Amino acid sequence: MAPSRIAVVTGASSGIGAATARRLAEAGYRVVLTARRADRIEALAKEINEAGHQATAYPLDVTDRAAVDEFATAFKAVAVLVNNAGGALGADPVATGDPANWRTMYETNVIGTLNLTQALLPKLEASGDGTVVVVSSTAGHATYEGGAGYVAAKHGAHVLAETLRLEIVGKPVRVIEIAPGMVRTDEFALTRFGGDEERAAKVYQGVAEPLTADDVADTITWTVTRPSHVNIDLLVVRPRAQASNTKVHREP
């Protein structure tokens, strides 16, 4: 693979995004790290470069369309776009859910993905062999109590990927959706519950081995590095202990 092949990873400041950036850099891509927290992505870019790979940090809010469009002007061609920026806020029932949380989740998970995909699609086509990855969730495929806002947002991301694949068939761009189940990262559940460490810990209580960010990053990298004619439309990945969004084996 030519070292000039560029992979853009959104939400690269932590968790799945950071792990994916490391994995793609190891696979030979020149990785562009985007996130709002400049210090985090700059430190990660330094780590990747010191390991002998290629990475550049670019602070970016994926919901800011003007900033996204400006970002896109930096490239003539892009090989891979990993739409990973997203997240969950709250776990309230529909009757009492905070509309502001719903709006934020939709803006980040769906509109952010739309912004980057629209801005970089011509660059992906120009590469002659582009790949769009949408990191959705098993939440986008089956609902659960207290999850409607997040489920709605991730279903939106799922539908975006599915529709885009129909619309650009015949062009040299693959569209891949990765739908992780229970993944234990440093921030996902903590952010969802507003920093409440006790509530966040209960999500994983009794689950011996939830997925890690690196497990998902390994899966993403595997799909991206398949031969060009192979499109992994949808890959659902869960820990062995999780049979569905609502059925999880927990040790006493």
Side-chain angles (χ1 to χ4, degrees), residues 3 20 45 47 89 115 171 174 176 202 210 229 232:
T20 300
E47 173 198 319
L89 294 172
N115 285 342
K171 295 183 178 180
R174 300 179 295 180
I176 294 169
K202 284 182 179 179
H229 70 287
I232 309 299

Side-chain angles (χ1 to χ4, degrees), residues 123-241:
K123 319 291 182 176
L124 289 153
E125 289 185 38
S127 76
D129 185 16
T131 302
V132 177
V133 177
V134 175
V135 181
S136 64
S137 168
T138 55
H141 298 266
T143 193
Y144 56 92
E145 292 168 285
Y150 182 59
V151 168
K154 284 303 189 184
H155 183 70
H158 160 63
V159 169
L160 186 157
E162 191 171 60
T163 308
L164 177 65
R165 192 180 302 115
L166 295 172
E167 292 171 345
I168 66 170
V169 66
K171 295 183 178 180
V173 180
R174 300 179 295 180
V175 181
I176 294 169
E177 179 187 352
I178 306 295
M182 180 181 285
V183 184
R184 185 166 198 164
T185 64
D186 292 338
E187 297 186 342
F188 180 83
L190 198 60
T191 299
R192 182 170 204 166
F193 296 120
D196 187 330
E197 294 183 4
E198 186 175 349
R199 284 189 77 188
K202 284 182 179 179
V203 172
Y204 312 102
Q205 188 173 352
V207 181
E209 292 182 290
L211 296 178
T212 67
D214 196 56
D215 291 329
V216 181
D218 180 46
T219 300
I220 292 169
T221 303
W222 178 80
T223 63
V224 167
T225 54
R226 293 311 83 208
S228 299
H229 70 287
V230 178
N231 196 107
I232 309 299
D233 285 15
L234 169 63
L235 197 157
V236 176
V237 53
R238 290 187 172 103
R240 185 172 59 188

